Amino acid sequence: MSIKRALVSVSDKQGIVDFCRELSVLGVEIISTGGTSTLLAKEGVPVIGISDVTGFPEIMDGRVKTLHPAVHSGLLAVRDNEEHTRQMKELGLDYIDLVVVNLYPFAETIAKPDVSYEEAIENIDIGGPTMLRSAAKNHAFVSVVVDANDYATVLEEVRAGGDTTLETRKRLAAKVFRHTAAYDALISDYLANVTGEPLPERYTVTYEKIQDLRYGENPHQKAAFYRKPLAAGDTLTAAEQLHGKELSYNNINDANAALQIVKEFEEPAVVAIKHMNPCGVGVGESVYEAYQKAYNADPTSIFGGIVAANRIIDADTATLLKEIFLEIVLAPGFTEEALEILTKKKNLRLLKIGNLSTANARKSSFVVTSIDGGMVVQESDVHSVNPDDLQVVT
């Protein structure tokens, strides 16, 4: 076996020209569609239009172009099945050995603040997932690439032996099904919210890995840190680490607990957390005053803890923070002077978080908690307590 024909159709065109140019040098025939075909031709890469393969034009603004037997027979035919090979020959069809596809940018589309429902629907890819699933199902014979990070591996193996290894094809196929599952989960979530069904009969979620962690709650447990696509800027998953060691599993849980509390306040506030429990919460006219109150609430337990503030850390506050051992300081920002003071502590993790306004904190979202064999889901507790609503009944 060897890769002789590739079908390439990508929305994210990063690296695609160089990849296809190298495939062409290796003798691979490139079939392509729409904007990808135009780009490759412009860059001097030999390319065959999809209509030349199907004998049918791209129609309906590109909605229908690859949904054709000439494409999917070439992807799904079992190469060592005599009946399949006989039918391919009789119908004058050719195999497709490599598929390179990434999908319409649905997540990027619905992330736009002014996106319309019609625009979101138009960015649901149909032909792309179908080709990916066909190729991934037939990975015994077909290579499929959905991630530009895999271009180099494919080229290396094709140079070495004319084809990818079965082990690589299995790994790429598994990645495809993860990719299409995540894509469908985003669409499902969007439509559930549009139709007012936030807790539907099937609850599908998808997350993307930020990083592997050294271990979980204990050293013998494996762990990784994931974020939800389109996570808000005021969440821990969107934080920018400015200094310090890599975050641990326990750091992440503690920092998230601190963040959830400090987001409750409009006035300058500081929260100290130790082992998921608040050991001090302070509010004041300034972040400096708020930190002093949080510290004095329990000067002992704050040692080795996490501090979160809802205002920029200034030099005076940083000077106080530096006096004790802390794991993390989390804030919307740090002045240059504060950074200079705090970065002298080599292992102190400094996290810059997004806009911590109470307006953002009050946006309802859903909390998912894993249980053995399932999960429970509830709305976030964003209810504001009004003193006038409280009753003393004893």
Side-chain angles (χ1 to χ4, degrees):
M1 290 174 54
S2 63
I3 293 179
K4 297 176 181 176
R5 297 174 88 220
L7 197 161
V8 182
S9 180
V10 293
S11 294
D12 180 357
K13 296 177 174 57
Q14 178 183 356
I16 196 63
V17 172
D18 291 338
F19 180 59
C20 287
R21 181 177 286 119
E22 185 63 23
L23 287 175
S24 184
V25 169
L26 292 168
V28 178
E29 184 178 76
I30 307 292
I31 304 164
S32 192
T33 68
T36 307
S37 178
T38 301
L39 174 65
L40 294 176
K42 179 182 176 183
E43 295 294 329
V45 178
V47 62
I48 299 171
I50 193 68
S51 297
D52 294 327
V53 174
T54 63
F56 201 86
E58 297 185 26
I59 61 172
M60 301 178 183
D61 300 316
R63 280 190 168 205
V64 180
K65 51 192 174 187
T66 59
L67 298 169
H68 194 280
V71 172
H72 289 277
S73 296
L75 295 176
L76 286 166
V78 178
R79 311 294 173 87
D80 55 7
N81 182 306
E82 291 184 4
E83 182 60 20
H84 286 200
T85 56
R86 182 189 65 78
Q87 290 180 33
M88 290 289 289
K89 188 174 182 180
E90 284 184 358
L91 295 170
L93 300 172
D94 291 322
Y95 299 116
I96 297 173
D97 311 301
L98 169 64
V99 169
V100 184
V101 169
N102 53 54
L103 307 177
Y104 292 174
F106 184 79
E108 292 82 352
T109 299
I110 62 174
K112 295 188 293 188
D114 57 347
V115 65
S116 67
Y117 177 75
E118 291 73 21
E119 184 182 0
I121 296 302
E122 197 58 34
N123 275 277
I124 297 176
D125 202 327
I126 302 300
T130 307
M131 286 190 292
L132 287 174
R133 290 171 62 85
S134 293
K137 175 178 180 175
N138 205 24
H139 64 266
F141 307 100
V142 180
S143 302
V144 56
V145 181
V146 75
D147 183 353
N149 291 322
D150 293 311
Y151 290 169
T153 298
V154 171
L155 286 175
E156 182 181 349
E157 293 189 6
V158 173
R159 287 192 200 101
D163 197 1
T164 56
T165 64
L166 179 58
E167 180 182 359
T168 293
R169 292 195 296 277
K170 285 181 178 179
R171 180 180 62 80
L172 294 175
K175 181 179 282 193
V176 161
F177 285 113
R178 290 195 297 270
H179 186 79
T180 56
Y183 193 76
D184 284 342
L186 272 176
I187 297 168
S188 170
D189 183 61
Y190 172 79
L191 291 175
N193 288 321
V194 167
T195 56
E197 299 176 287
L199 294 170
E201 75 287 349
R202 291 183 183 273
Y203 195 83
T204 55
V205 293
T206 183
Y207 296 88
E208 52 198 25
K209 185 186 285 188
I210 298 175
Q211 66 188 78
D212 288 307
L213 301 175
R214 286 179 296 163
Y215 53 83
E217 188 172 0
N218 298 293
H220 60 272
Q221 294 172 275
K222 291 183 179 179
F225 187 21
Y226 289 83
R227 73 171 145 245
K228 188 175 183 180
L230 311 180
D234 62 344
T235 59
L236 189 62
T237 57
E240 178 186 0
Q241 184 165 349
L242 303 178
H243 179 71
K245 296 191 298 184
E246 183 179 283
L247 293 173
S248 72
Y249 178 91
N250 293 325
N251 288 157
I252 291 167
N253 279 305
D254 287 350
N256 186 63
L259 181 59
Q260 297 313 304
I261 296 172
V262 83
K263 285 163 71 171
E264 293 282 329
F265 296 92
E266 294 182 10
E267 61 268 60
V270 171
V271 173
I273 289 281
K274 184 71 173 289
H275 300 320
M276 293 287 288
N277 292 301
C279 53
V281 179
V283 295
E285 294 296 320
S286 66
V287 69
Y288 179 79
E289 181 183 343
Y291 171 72
Q292 287 180 308
K293 292 180 178 180
Y295 174 83
N296 288 325
D298 188 343
T300 301
S301 295
I302 195 175
F303 183 85
I306 289 174
V307 168
N310 64 357
R311 296 292 193 277
I312 292 173
I313 300 294
D314 56 26
D316 290 339
T317 308
T319 300
L320 293 181
L321 290 165
K322 189 186 174 188
E323 291 178 356
I324 61 170
F325 168 61
L326 295 170
E327 291 279 2
I328 296 174
V329 177
L330 184 156
F334 302 80
T335 65
E336 289 186 16
E337 294 84 357
L339 277 177
E340 185 177 350
I341 293 166
L342 294 174
T343 52
K344 290 178 181 177
K345 305 194 78 169
K346 184 176 68 172
N347 294 327
L348 175 62
R349 302 161 179 90
L350 302 179
L351 298 182
K352 181 180 178 182
I353 204 75
N355 179 16
L356 297 182
S357 70
T358 52
N360 289 338
R362 294 298 176 195
K363 292 178 181 176
S364 181
S365 59
F366 287 84
V367 178
V368 178
T369 303
S370 173
I371 63 170
D372 193 13
M375 65 182 186
V376 288
V377 182
Q378 68 170 348
E379 285 185 321
S380 300
D381 184 3
V382 295
H383 178 69
S384 294
V385 176
N386 186 336
D388 295 336
D389 296 333
L390 301 178
Q391 294 181 349
V392 179
V393 295
T394 63

